[in-house]
Amino acid sequence: MATVVAPAASTETTSKNPWPAVVALAFAASIAALQNTAVVPLLPVLQQELNTSLTSVTWTLTLSLLVAAVATPLLSRFGDMYGRRRMILGALALLVIGSVLAALATSLAMLIVARVLQGFVAALVPLSIGVVRDTVPRNQLATGIGVLSATMGFGSGGGMILAGLASGDFHLAFWIMGGISLVAAVVVAVLVRDGAPAGKGRPDLLGAALLAAWLVALMLAVSEGGSWGWTSAGVLGLFAAAVLLAAVWVVVELRVAEPLVEMSMLVHRGTVGATVSSMLLGFSFFTIMTGMSGFAQAPAGAGGFGASTLQVGLYLLPSTLFMLVISLFAGRFMRTFQASTMVSAGSAVTGLGGLWLVLSHDGPADLYVAASLMGIGLGVGYAALGTMAVEHVDPAKTAVAAGVNALVRIVGASTAGAVIAALLAAQPGVAGYQWVFGVAAAAGAVAALFAAVYGALNRRPAVTAPSAR
C-alpha cells in the first residue's frame, strides 16, 4: 500500500496515547455527516408543516451543503491560523445552536437560518484529519484517517435512522441532534488537544464570497430549470452568472497570496483522481439516498410505497449497519489494500446500488438490496478517500489537500438535490426516479474509473503534489 507521508511524531505523540482523541473526533465527524442526511426523509414533513413547496423546502438541505462547501476550506484556514481544536469546538457550538433553533422553528425562513448555522460543521472533517496528522505516529496515520472517513459514512446512514426514530417529528429530530452534538463537543473538549501550534495567515474572504455566489447561481439554475424552462431568460441568466462568477473566482484564487482553494491541488496528477472520485461519489451517494427516500414515500398511485419516515429509516438501515461494520475494520483494510483500489471498488459498488433500482424497484426487498450495496460501497470508499487525497501531498499541505477533497465531495452532494428536482420535473413518477437512480449509477461508475486510472498512474513513479501554488 502507498504510504502516507507525515511529519515526524512529536514528543507529545510518543508519550501519550492519541487514539482516544481519534475516537472522539470520529464520533464528532459522524455527527457532522448525520445532520445533513437526517433532513432528507423529513422533507415531505417539512413541506406539509411549514406550508411550502417541495422545491422551496429542499433548500433547507441544499443551502446547508453550500454553506458547508464554503466553510470547509475557510475554517480549515482559520484552523491553521488560530488552532484546529478551537475551530472544531466552534463548529460544534454552531451545530448545537443551529439544532436548537431548528427544533424551535415555525417558519421556513427560521429553519433555513438554522440549517445555515449547522452547515459550518462540515469543516470538522478536514480539521480533524489535520489534528490526526499532527498527533498520530507516522506508521498509524492511514489507519487514523481511515477511521475518521469510515465513521463519517456511518453517520450519513445514521441520519436516516434518526429521522425514522423521531417518527417524522422534525422538532424532536433536531432536539436529539442538538443533544448528541453537545455530548460530542464535551468529549472533544476533554480528549482532543492541538498537536501543532497556531500559525499566521490571512483568510481569503473574497474567494469564499465568490465560491458561494457561483454555487448558489448554479444550484438555483439546475433546481428551477424544470419549472422555469431550461431556455428561459432566468435560467440562462443564472447559468451565465455561475460561469462568470466561477471564472472570476479562479482568477482570484490564482492571484491571491493565500487562496481559499489551491488550484494546483485540484488538477495535479497526484490529487485529481481523488478530487473527481470524491465529488462523484458524494453526488452518487446523496442522489441514491434522496431518491430512495422520495420514491419510498411517494403514494402508491404514483408508483411509490407510501412509506412513513420510520419505514424509510428501516429501508436504509442496512446501509448504516454495513458502514458501521466496515468502519471497525477500516484500519485493517487500509494496511492491506491501496487507497485508490478501495475508492474504485467502493464507488463501483455504490453505483451498483443505483443500477439495481433502475432495473428492479417493485418492492421493499429492492430497497434493502440497494441500501446494502450503497452501505458496502460507501464504507469501503469513504474509508480510503482521505488517504487517497493526501498520500501524494507534501506533508505541509496535508490539511489543505484534505480540505479540498472535503470541499469537492460536498459540492457533489449539494448538486444531488437540484439534479433530482430537475429530473423529476422533466419526467414525473417511476420513470423519473429511474432516471435519478441511473444518473447516480453512472456517477459511481465514472468515480470508480477515475480512482482506478489515477491510482495506477500514481503507482508508477512517486508523485508528490506541490507544496506551494
Side-chain angles (χ1 to χ4, degrees):
M1 179 190 148
T3 302
V4 179
V5 181
S10 64
T11 302
E12 183 180 2
T13 299
T14 57
S15 61
K16 293 184 178 180
N17 181 6
W19 290 104
V22 173
V23 172
L25 291 171
F27 174 48
S30 68
I31 297 171
L34 177 148
Q35 59 88 24
N36 271 324
T37 56
V39 175
V40 173
L42 293 174
L43 292 178
V45 176
L46 294 171
Q47 177 189 5
Q48 181 178 1
E49 294 199 16
L50 299 178
N51 193 27
T52 185
S53 67
L54 185 59
T55 301
S56 297
V57 83
T58 299
W59 281 95
T60 60
L61 175 63
T62 302
L63 270 180
S64 179
L65 288 168
L66 291 177
V67 170
V70 177
T72 294
L74 189 61
L75 292 189
S76 295
R77 177 56 52 84
F78 283 149
D80 293 335
M81 295 168 57
Y82 306 116
R84 296 189 184 97
R85 177 179 179 272
R86 185 176 298 176
M87 290 300 107
I88 289 172
L89 291 174
L92 287 170
L94 289 176
L95 178 59
V96 173
I97 295 170
S99 299
V100 172
L101 190 61
L104 298 173
T106 56
S107 67
L108 180 61
M110 185 175 178
L111 182 59
I112 285 178
V113 171
R115 295 289 295 147
V116 166
L117 292 176
Q118 289 182 316
F120 282 91
V121 80
L124 190 147
V125 176
L127 287 167
S128 297
I129 289 177
V131 173
V132 170
R133 179 205 63 185
D134 293 329
T135 57
V136 173
R138 178 185 306 185
N139 63 336
Q140 299 177 356
L141 182 56
T143 299
I145 294 176
V147 169
L148 279 174
S149 301
T151 51
M152 181 179 62
F154 167 67
S156 297
M160 308 293 283
I161 305 302
L162 171 61
L165 292 176
S167 300
D169 184 344
F170 80 89
H171 300 286
L172 177 59
F174 284 116
W175 279 123
I176 295 173
M177 194 182 303
I180 298 173
S181 303
L182 182 60
V183 171
V186 172
V187 171
V188 169
V190 172
L191 296 178
V192 176
R193 294 291 179 267
D194 268 326
K200 296 180 179 180
R202 177 178 298 178
D204 180 17
L205 299 180
L206 177 59
L210 287 169
L211 175 61
W214 75 258
L215 284 175
V216 169
L218 177 62
M219 293 303 102
L220 188 58
V222 173
S223 63
E224 299 295 345
S227 56
W228 294 359
W230 291 103
T231 58
S232 66
V235 170
L236 292 178
L238 285 169
F239 276 126
V243 171
L244 178 61
L245 289 168
V248 173
W249 175 68
V250 171
V251 171
V252 169
E253 296 303 276
L254 290 173
R255 292 186 177 183
V256 72
E258 299 180 37
L260 182 75
V261 177
E262 293 192 9
M263 293 293 117
S264 60
M265 288 290 182
L266 290 175
V267 299
H268 191 273
R269 198 183 89 183
T271 58
V272 70
T275 296
V276 175
S277 299
S278 185
M279 181 175 65
L280 291 175
L281 184 56
F283 171 81
S284 182
F285 165 45
F286 262 82
T287 302
I288 294 174
M289 180 184 64
T290 306
M292 285 179 63
S293 175
F295 179 69
Q297 293 183 77
F305 301 150
S308 65
T309 53
L310 178 58
Q311 288 174 311
V312 170
L314 292 175
Y315 291 148
L316 289 161
L317 181 60
S319 67
T320 306
L321 295 177
F322 275 114
M323 282 187 276
L324 173 60
V325 171
I326 291 173
S327 70
L328 298 177
F329 296 95
R332 184 176 301 177
F333 289 152
M334 294 303 299
R335 290 191 297 270
T336 305
F337 301 103
Q338 290 277 348
S340 58
T341 301
M342 290 179 62
V343 172
S344 180
S347 299
V349 175
T350 301
L352 189 60
L355 181 60
W356 182 279
L357 290 174
V358 173
L359 302 175
S360 181
H361 45 265
D362 298 326
D366 293 312
L367 297 185
Y368 284 124
V369 171
S372 298
L373 291 170
M374 182 177 68
I376 294 170
L378 286 171
V380 173
Y382 270 16
L385 264 179
T387 297
M388 187 180 177
V390 304
E391 63 185 347
H392 300 295
V393 171
D394 184 278
K397 292 296 178 180
T398 302
V400 174
V404 169
N405 191 259
L407 165 66
V408 295
R409 183 177 63 252
I410 293 167
V411 170
S414 66
T415 61
V419 170
I420 289 173
L423 290 172
L424 293 180
Q427 186 70 58
V430 176
Y433 280 106
Q434 284 183 291
W435 275 102
V436 168
F437 298 131
V439 168
V446 177
L449 180 63
F450 260 84
V453 169
Y454 279 92
L457 289 175
N458 290 333
R459 279 197 292 271
R460 292 174 186 175
V463 178
T464 303
S467 59
R469 293 184 300 120

